[in-house]
Amino acid sequence: MNRHRWQSWLTFIGVMLGVTMVVGVDLANSSARRAFSLSLDSIAGSVTHQIIGGPKGIPDSVYTRLRTELAIRSSLPMVIGQVSIKGRNFTLLGVDPIPETTLGRHMTGLETHGLSRALLDDNAVMLSRRAADKLGLQISEVFELRTGGRTFLVRLVAIFPSDNPAATEGLLFADIAVAQRLLNRFGRLDRIDLILDESDRDEIQAWLPAGLGLVASELRNDSMRQMSEAFHINLTAMSLLALLVAALLIYNTVTLSVLQRRNTLGIFRALGVTRKEIFVLVLRESLLLATAASLAGLVMGLLLGQALVQLVTRTVTDLYFNLHVTAFLIDPLSLLKGFLMGLGMAFIACSIPAWEASRSRPVNVMQRSTVERRWQLRLPMLTALGAVCLVAGLLLVARTHGSLVEGFFALALIVFGFCLMVPGMVVLVTRLLLRILSPLLGSTARIALRDINAGISRTGMAVAALTVAVSVTVGVGVMVSSFRETVSVWLGQYLSGDIYVSTLDRNGSGLTPALKSRLQALAGVASVAPSRIENIETEFGPVRLIALTPTENDTRLPLKHSVEGVAELFYQGKGVLISEPLAYHQQLSSGDSITVLAAKGEQQLRILGVYYDYTTSRGMIAMHREAYRELWDDERISGFTIYKEENADQANLLDAVRKILTSEADQIRVSSNQEIRETAMAVFDRTFAITHVLRLLTILVAFVGVLSALMALQLERTREFAILRATGMTPRQISVMILGQTGLMGLLAGLLSIPLGLLMADILIDVINRRSFGWSMLHRLPAGVLAEAVFLALIAAVLAGVYPALKAASISPAQALREE
């Protein structure tokens, strides 16, 4: 290690970066998972069941009757909404403070004085100690609270300690009546939390009024947790890929270390050192370096995790669930896992060359030709094994429905199989080039080509490592570009209107028919279509529903497949359309039915078709607004879609609509088609920011690995270069030969990375993404990504050859040829 310091340091950095990615991503994932659980548990607490209603919620009287008629004392009414205080988002929980304090769920530390003020003050709210400190608020202080486009003045009447400060940090508490006023839900509850035994459960189930349902809270929470699990698995897979590249680096380094010391190891064996001692010697050195690098990786992983947790939690909030817990939580298990994975990968990677060094006879160890001859004999077997792994991986991904872990395992088989085939491809290409171009090449070029072939034990693995690393750039780049193009095309079909008007307070009275008439009367307006967006309960848990009013201007939802006569049936309200993610994950299709909880009880709705949708991986249901009103008895309107006349000016019409709504600008949002598209693409780019960060880190690990492998490869040939200098080759010719050889290896790696990267992209698009989120995507091949891959591989390889070229050019033949 001391004699080859550059090689040792580059190996150290490569392993450190690999462990850093695993630890950083795992800590960010565990923090996001913990935040998800705390956000759910802090709202649900230790309840066993929940009574839920439809879009209108649950009447207050149901709670009163529950306690008086059934004597269910372990019952807790809840009103929930999102509010903003000093630019921070909080979840407002409207609770009954007396049972909350007696049942010990949220406010166990609330004093009697604070409890009385909470019940008597019409503007009273309560915070945990940590939340109050973060906002800089004191008891009795009055401050502004915004919700649904409206601003209220509220008073902090109590600050209480919490057994779990992180869980209550993003929560604001108020009495039920105060919360109903702030959230505009007079006389209604969002749900009733219960702590029940089996007998009480059956009694309540039989007693419940029509339109209300009793669900187990744990099952409901599990359904919510499962939504984001695929996202976390994808991030973990990206980090493990970096560790795989680091493992290839360790293998290359240890192999070259053994080759560099073949004479020394041969002398050891000749003097009586046992095979076991040789094995332990090589293994111990590698693990010593890996241990130091893994420890450094833990420290770097902590820093990376802190940076990534904000990206991860923001993406989870965008796609799945509003997290009010965003703290970075250090999980000792994540640190231990990253450390052990770094050591484990190092052990596996260095065991093979250590075993080979221990199994060889002393005379063979001292002969480099023996090593290369053995590799030449193994090439057909390695190529065949690689082909088997490749075919096995392709067969695994051929299944329509399979687990996400199975998909990643298949991808790993394909990458590993291709990696094993790379040395054989390198030999084949160099031989073809020699045969075809030999008359046109000079002696220096021919020596460079033959030397790649002759040293395949080193060149083959160096090219394979670079190929795998660069293929990640191709695969992820093609996948993200394809997804972005798909979303852009979909938005063009989905956003059929010209201007969209929506209320910020979806739980209030909503938009009015009178406003529709005023908008319809504007010059240039062809039609105005009202819609309603609401969360409903289904047999698969909560699902978002959009109730539409189709018009002759509306091109409707982009359908994937449907029953015959879908347009007429949908217009008549004789069924619903479901989004592609819901259909995929629940294995539903056109003609099936889905059970929902409506105001009249459970209803079975016929599925008329499946439409493309990329707004959420949870799934959505679309139905005619008239059918929605009949099932849920809900007349409220969430938004209007305005279709302009053909010759109307978009900008002037947008200004006219905003002028009508000037007095209600805080409560109503007006957006053009183009503005919504830009916002949607911004959310898309924000969602994939974490992917780009991990992609860049993987490239960095790969670059360090290739730099280390190629530098060591060239420096190991010092004696060979000395012979060439002694036989007349000039320093300039030596430099050109080395740079040409590394450049050719980089070019081969770049070209080989394209088919592997495209195969990886297909699997990411059609298998990993499909099984994760249920989305299908178009396939787009951006030429820039392919050119970038070849350029990246070429530059990495040429840079790796600069130092050896300079060193070889200045070599003293006599000194390099002298025996130790």
Side-chain angles (χ1 to χ4, degrees):
M1 281 190 259
N2 190 46
R3 289 182 61 190
H4 303 279
R5 293 180 185 178
W6 271 106
Q7 184 179 333
S8 300
W9 272 112
L10 286 171
T11 304
F12 179 89
I13 293 170
V15 177
M16 182 190 72
L17 287 175
V19 174
T20 296
M21 281 193 64
V22 171
V23 171
V25 171
D26 203 54
L27 285 174
N29 268 338
S30 61
S31 294
R33 283 194 181 99
R34 182 67 175 149
F36 204 97
S37 295
L38 287 174
S39 297
L40 287 173
D41 295 343
S42 62
I43 295 175
S46 58
V47 302
T48 60
H49 293 77
Q50 298 168 352
I51 295 177
I52 55 173
K56 290 185 176 181
I58 305 169
D60 279 341
S61 57
V62 173
Y63 176 63
T64 307
R65 290 175 55 203
L66 185 69
R67 295 184 72 93
T68 56
E69 295 178 14
L70 300 185
I72 302 295
R73 296 290 179 254
S74 300
S75 52
L76 308 159
M78 295 282 287
V79 174
I80 308 171
Q82 300 302 313
V83 300
S84 174
I85 304 171
K86 295 185 177 182
R88 292 173 176 263
N89 293 323
F90 280 78
T91 299
L92 172 61
L93 295 186
V95 297
D96 188 343
I98 295 176
E100 283 289 345
T101 53
T102 56
L103 291 176
R105 182 164 66 158
H106 293 118
M107 300 178 293
T108 53
L110 189 63
E111 298 175 355
T112 305
H113 177 65
L115 180 60
S116 62
R117 294 189 65 182
L119 292 169
L120 297 174
D121 193 330
D122 289 341
N123 298 303
V125 295
M126 296 158 281
L127 285 169
S128 67
R129 168 59 60 190
R130 182 188 285 194
D133 289 344
K134 286 212 168 187
L135 290 171
L137 297 174
Q138 302 295 327
I139 290 181
S140 298
E141 189 171 344
V142 176
F143 58 93
E144 285 189 352
L145 175 151
R146 287 185 58 80
T147 179
R150 297 170 298 162
T151 302
F152 298 90
L153 289 177
V154 295
R155 185 187 305 277
L156 182 61
V157 299
I159 297 175
F160 59 90
S162 173
D163 294 335
N164 193 339
T168 55
E169 180 183 329
L171 298 179
L172 176 71
F173 298 91
D175 181 52
I176 284 282
V178 176
Q180 287 174 328
R181 180 175 64 82
L182 295 175
L183 299 174
N184 199 18
R185 298 179 202 169
F186 296 101
R188 316 295 293 186
L189 305 173
D190 285 318
R191 71 172 196 239
I192 301 173
D193 290 345
L194 304 163
I195 302 175
L196 303 177
D197 56 29
E198 196 167 332
S199 59
D200 288 337
R201 184 196 64 192
D202 295 337
E203 184 180 11
I204 292 176
Q205 189 74 60
W207 172 86
L208 275 179
L212 302 183
L214 181 69
V215 296
S217 59
E218 190 56 36
L219 290 176
R220 206 163 188 258
N221 288 349
D222 285 345
S223 174
M224 298 286 284
R225 289 188 185 97
Q226 288 170 6
M227 292 185 307
S228 67
E229 195 58 32
F231 173 70
H232 297 302
I233 292 174
N234 275 285
L235 294 185
T236 302
M238 285 287 289
S239 69
L240 291 178
L241 192 58
L243 195 61
L244 173 62
V245 175
L248 288 172
L249 160 64
I250 297 167
Y251 174 81
N252 275 331
T253 304
V254 178
T255 302
L256 290 167
S257 175
V258 171
L259 289 171
Q260 286 165 344
R261 293 183 295 167
R262 60 185 178 273
N263 288 332
T264 305
L265 294 176
I267 293 170
F268 283 172
R269 290 283 287 117
L271 293 175
V273 177
T274 66
R275 290 176 173 179
K276 180 181 178 182
E277 287 172 325
I278 293 290
F279 181 81
V280 171
L281 171 69
V282 176
L283 202 63
R284 185 173 56 203
E285 287 181 3
S286 304
L287 290 180
L288 179 65
L289 192 65
T291 300
S294 296
L295 289 172
L298 295 184
V299 177
M300 297 296 293
L302 286 170
L303 300 176
L304 178 63
Q306 286 181 314
L308 292 182
V309 70
Q310 297 300 323
L311 291 173
V312 175
T313 52
R314 185 175 66 183
T315 301
V316 172
T317 298
D318 281 340
L319 296 181
Y320 306 108
F321 180 77
N322 187 64
L323 300 181
H324 61 256
V325 181
T326 57
F328 177 63
L329 305 170
I330 298 176
D331 184 3
L333 187 61
S334 295
L335 298 178
L336 179 62
K337 189 194 305 180
F339 180 75
L340 292 179
M341 288 184 73
L343 284 186
M345 281 287 194
F347 178 80
I348 294 170
C350 67
S351 292
I352 300 172
W355 182 81
E356 287 191 342
S358 68
R359 299 303 297 174
S360 299
R361 293 189 302 164
V363 65
N364 289 341
V365 173
M366 289 187 281
Q367 292 176 348
R368 172 185 156 189
S369 59
T370 305
V371 178
E372 296 303 332
R373 192 180 306 116
R374 190 185 302 131
W375 260 85
Q376 294 286 349
L377 293 173
R378 287 178 181 171
L379 274 182
M381 183 185 68
L382 286 176
T383 305
L385 180 60
V388 170
C389 290
L390 197 63
V391 172
L394 292 173
L395 290 175
L396 269 180
V397 299
R399 295 178 56 195
T400 306
H401 283 86
S403 71
L404 186 57
V405 174
E406 181 187 278
F408 276 117
F409 179 69
L411 181 58
L413 275 179
I414 290 170
V415 171
F416 182 67
F418 197 92
C419 187
L420 290 178
M421 296 171 68
V422 167
M425 295 180 189
V426 171
V427 170
L428 179 63
V429 170
T430 52
R431 286 179 178 174
L432 284 174
L433 288 175
L434 280 170
R435 178 169 295 183
I436 297 171
L437 301 177
S438 187
L440 305 176
L441 298 175
S443 58
T444 304
R446 289 198 297 272
I447 290 173
L449 282 172
R450 289 195 181 104
D451 203 58
I452 292 176
N453 196 354
I456 195 63
S457 66
R458 298 159 298 171
T459 57
M461 291 311 297
V463 173
L466 185 55
T467 298
V468 171
V470 177
S471 69
V472 176
T473 302
V474 177
V476 175
V478 171
M479 185 271 288
V480 174
S481 297
S482 297
F483 201 180
R484 202 177 196 283
E485 178 69 15
T486 300
V487 171
S488 180
V489 171
W490 168 77
L491 283 170
Q493 298 171 333
Y494 188 78
L495 298 175
S496 56
D498 298 296
I499 298 173
Y500 293 83
V501 179
S502 59
T503 177
L504 297 175
D505 184 11
R506 289 182 179 173
N507 296 293
S509 57
L511 304 177
T512 62
L515 177 59
K516 178 189 174 184
S517 300
R518 292 172 64 192
L519 294 172
Q520 184 71 67
L522 287 173
V525 172
S527 63
V528 179
S531 62
R532 175 68 178 161
I533 297 177
E534 189 56 74
N535 289 321
I536 64 168
E537 197 69 26
T538 73
E539 60 184 302
F540 307 113
V543 174
R544 183 177 296 177
L545 179 143
I546 179 168
L548 302 167
T549 307
T551 68
E552 61 182 10
N553 305 83
D554 194 352
T555 57
R556 309 189 196 282
L557 299 171
L559 293 176
K560 183 178 182 180
H561 56 78
S562 62
V563 299
E564 190 175 347
V566 58
E568 185 178 352
L569 292 170
F570 185 80
Y571 192 81
Q572 294 171 357
K574 293 183 178 179
V576 298
L577 302 174
I578 64 173
S579 67
E580 185 186 23
L582 182 60
Y584 179 83
H585 288 306
Q586 306 304 335
Q587 298 188 32
L588 299 171
S589 187
S590 303
D592 294 341
S593 61
I594 184 170
T595 303
V596 301
L597 179 65
K600 299 177 182 178
E602 289 190 349
Q603 302 285 325
Q604 277 201 338
L605 305 177
R606 186 188 179 197
I607 298 172
L608 301 176
V610 175
Y611 68 94
Y612 293 103
D613 180 82
Y614 300 93
T615 56
T616 174
S617 63
R618 290 174 59 184
M620 285 187 68
I621 298 175
M623 67 187 310
H624 197 288
R625 185 165 168 263
E626 291 301 321
Y628 168 79
R629 288 165 60 185
E630 182 180 342
L631 288 175
W632 277 273
D633 191 26
D634 183 11
E635 299 283 345
R636 292 175 295 175
I637 300 171
S638 299
F640 292 121
T641 302
I642 301 175
Y643 299 89
K644 68 180 183 67
E645 293 177 349
E646 188 174 347
N647 298 324
D649 183 79
Q650 170 90 1
N652 291 338
L653 184 57
L654 187 61
D655 289 339
V657 172
R658 285 177 172 157
K659 188 174 181 180
I660 286 180
L661 300 169
T662 301
S663 60
E664 302 174 275
D666 286 344
Q667 300 179 44
I668 297 176
R669 180 188 291 116
V670 180
S671 305
S672 67
N673 182 305
Q674 184 61 32
E675 288 170 343
I676 294 177
R677 287 173 65 94
E678 290 172 358
T679 302
M681 297 313 295
V683 171
F684 176 91
D685 292 334
R686 194 166 68 212
T687 300
F688 278 94
I690 181 73
T691 304
H692 288 302
V693 169
L694 296 183
R695 179 185 171 203
L696 290 174
L697 287 173
T698 304
I699 293 171
L700 179 60
V701 175
F703 180 76
V704 171
V706 171
L707 189 64
S708 172
L710 292 181
M711 279 183 64
L713 170 66
Q714 298 298 342
L715 293 175
E716 199 264 339
R717 297 167 58 208
T718 303
R719 190 177 180 83
E720 179 185 328
F721 296 146
I723 294 173
L724 292 174
R725 288 278 288 112
T727 54
M729 189 172 279
T730 65
R732 182 176 178 277
Q733 286 176 313
I734 291 283
S735 299
V736 170
M737 183 185 73
I738 293 174
L739 291 175
Q741 188 180 74
T742 55
L744 179 60
M745 290 168 63
L747 182 61
L748 286 174
L751 294 175
L752 289 173
S753 71
I754 291 175
L756 178 58
L758 294 178
L759 189 58
M760 192 181 295
D762 285 344
I763 294 170
L764 288 172
I765 292 172
D766 296 328
V767 181
I768 304 299
N769 169 77
R770 190 109 169 92
R771 294 180 184 181
S772 298
F773 309 109
W775 295 323
S776 60
M777 295 189 293
L778 302 171
H779 286 251
R780 290 290 182 267
L781 184 59
V785 171
L786 305 185
E788 179 187 272
V790 177
F791 179 76
L792 179 68
L794 192 58
I795 290 298
V798 170
L799 287 177
V802 170
Y803 177 70
L806 294 174
K807 190 172 179 64
S810 60
I811 198 171
S812 168
Q815 185 177 358
L817 290 171
R818 187 178 60 201
E819 292 291 344
E820 295 292 340

